[in-house]
Each structure stands twice: as structure tokens, then as C-alpha cells.
Amino acid sequence: MSLCIALAATVLTIPSTSFTLSWVHSVEKIEWREEWAVTSAGLQLKQAGVKGSGAGMEPGEGAVLEDGWWRWTPSLPPLPQLRLAASGKTPGGWTLCHDAGCMTLGMKAGEDSVISACTPSASP
């Protein structure tokens, strides 16, 4: 499996079966982090964490406080894609880290991204 990231007129293919997505809440200025798996069924959220709490930043069910982070395992079905709509109101967009490194997505308003599992091209 590979990870596909659609940006404006480009699609990046990253050979990775997992990634971490993190960002800072626009109002609370608190970091949020999610660990994802890239599977044939779609993107599976494996763990979520928030460094504190506040409006819209409440830890999930079963959260445990570890090293200043509230961490929990969400029970959600795999998603076909993640749409990151860039408002320009967050301090720095999203940081996506994978096996080969990290990249920043959505630094400016309108720099939207769509993350999905890459599907093999159908033969003509």
C-alpha cells in the first residue's frame, strides 16, 4: 500500500503504510496528533492524542494521560479519504510524517489537501 496526497494540481505517492498527522488548534493553541494506517479498506485511525484540553479539544473515550498527552484508541471504521481544508487561521497547517520524513500541508488559506490510500491503476 502507498499513501496518496492530492494537492492543487499534483498527486504525491508516498510508499508508506502508516503516517502521523498533527496540528495546533486555531483557538486553544493546543497540539493534536493522530496515528493512521494505510490499508486496502482505506485510512484507519489507530490512535489519537491531544496535549491538554479546551473548547473542541476534549480527549476521547477511554483516554489515558501519558507524558502530558491524553491518548486514546478511537473505534471508527476505515475512511476512504481525509480532506484537509486550509482556513489560514491555524498557526502552521498540518504536519504529516511518514517513513521517509515529514511535510507541511495547508499553510495558507485555500491550500486544501486530500489524503487517501493509493489504488492500483486499472489496466486499459
Side-chain angles (χ1 to χ4, degrees), residues 90-106:
T90 56
W94 292 272
T95 300
L96 185 143
C97 295
H98 50 83
D99 296 337
C102 296
M103 62 179 47
T104 302
L105 303 170

Side-chain angles (χ1 to χ4, degrees), residues 75-97:
S75 58
L76 300 171
L79 300 174
Q81 62 187 9
L82 294 176
R83 292 186 168 275
L84 305 179
S87 68
K89 303 295 183 196
T90 56
W94 292 272
T95 300
L96 185 143
C97 295

